[in-house]
Amino acid sequence: MKKGLTDIFEIDSVLKVLVLCVLTIGSYFIYKLYWFSRQINQHTELKISNLFITTAIALFIISFGSLIYGLVNYHDLSILKSSMAIHLASSVFDVTWIIMVRNRINVITGSNRGDKLWLNPFITSIFHVVYMQHKINKGLGKSAI
């Protein structure tokens, strides 16, 4: 059974999403991706692997922790250099996760290039969950700021 946006997602303030992503230094971004993925997994057949989600979250936490540790010990550049591989792996997983969620939202909305609800890959790569929430709000008939 095909479900629409109203059966899967909720309206949320785009400004709130943006502010929380900035204030939490990206942690809210991961939470929002997790929330979108959970909604997609619960309400559609377009599943995103729980193992993938867990791995992406774990890599983000490790990467974030190593960045903070490296900044606290900024005098020792070897710490920051040694954590580059984990940052790269975390970034690859994050980008892949963004693409997976974006593609599934496009399928759910039945959107193709140029449609009102189509998630543009370039804009999605810059604004991530903020842009996704904007398009979801638009599809639900409301543009919550």
Side-chain angles (χ1 to χ4, degrees), residues 9 26-42 48-58 94 97-98 101 129 132:
F9 300 109
S27 297
Y28 190 75
F29 154 76
I30 294 296
Y31 165 77
K32 200 68 175 171
L33 270 179
Y34 170 76
W35 189 86
F36 286 153
S37 299
R38 193 182 90 208
Q39 293 303 106
I40 290 166
N41 285 350
Q42 286 178 354
I48 298 173
S49 163
N50 286 325
L51 177 60
F52 177 85
I53 293 169
T54 303
T55 304
I57 292 170
D94 292 347
W97 196 4
I98 291 166
V101 171
V129 295
M132 290 177 193

Side-chain angles (χ1 to χ4, degrees), residues 98-106 118-121 124:
I98 291 166
I99 292 168
M100 292 167 79
V101 171
R102 174 198 167 271
N103 289 344
R104 282 158 177 81
I105 292 173
N106 278 340
W118 183 68
L119 287 163
N120 181 297
T124 303

Side-chain angles (χ1 to χ4, degrees), residues 102-115:
R102 174 198 167 271
N103 289 344
R104 282 158 177 81
I105 292 173
N106 278 340
V107 169
I108 290 165
T109 61
S111 298
N112 295 307
R113 181 182 210 129
D115 291 347

Side-chain angles (χ1 to χ4, degrees), residues 10-25:
E10 299 171 0
I11 292 173
D12 198 1
S13 167
V14 174
L15 182 60
K16 178 188 98 174
V17 173
L18 174 64
V19 168
L20 286 174
C21 285
V22 171
L23 289 179
T24 62
I25 314 168

Side-chain angles (χ1 to χ4, degrees), residues 72-104:
V72 168
N73 297 294
Y74 69 91
H75 56 279
D76 186 1
L77 289 178
S78 64
I79 293 172
L80 281 176
K81 288 179 183 177
S82 66
S83 65
M84 295 289 271
I86 194 72
H87 294 308
L88 179 62
S90 177
S91 296
V92 167
F93 268 80
D94 292 347
V95 168
T96 303
W97 196 4
I98 291 166
I99 292 168
M100 292 167 79
V101 171
R102 174 198 167 271
N103 289 344
R104 282 158 177 81

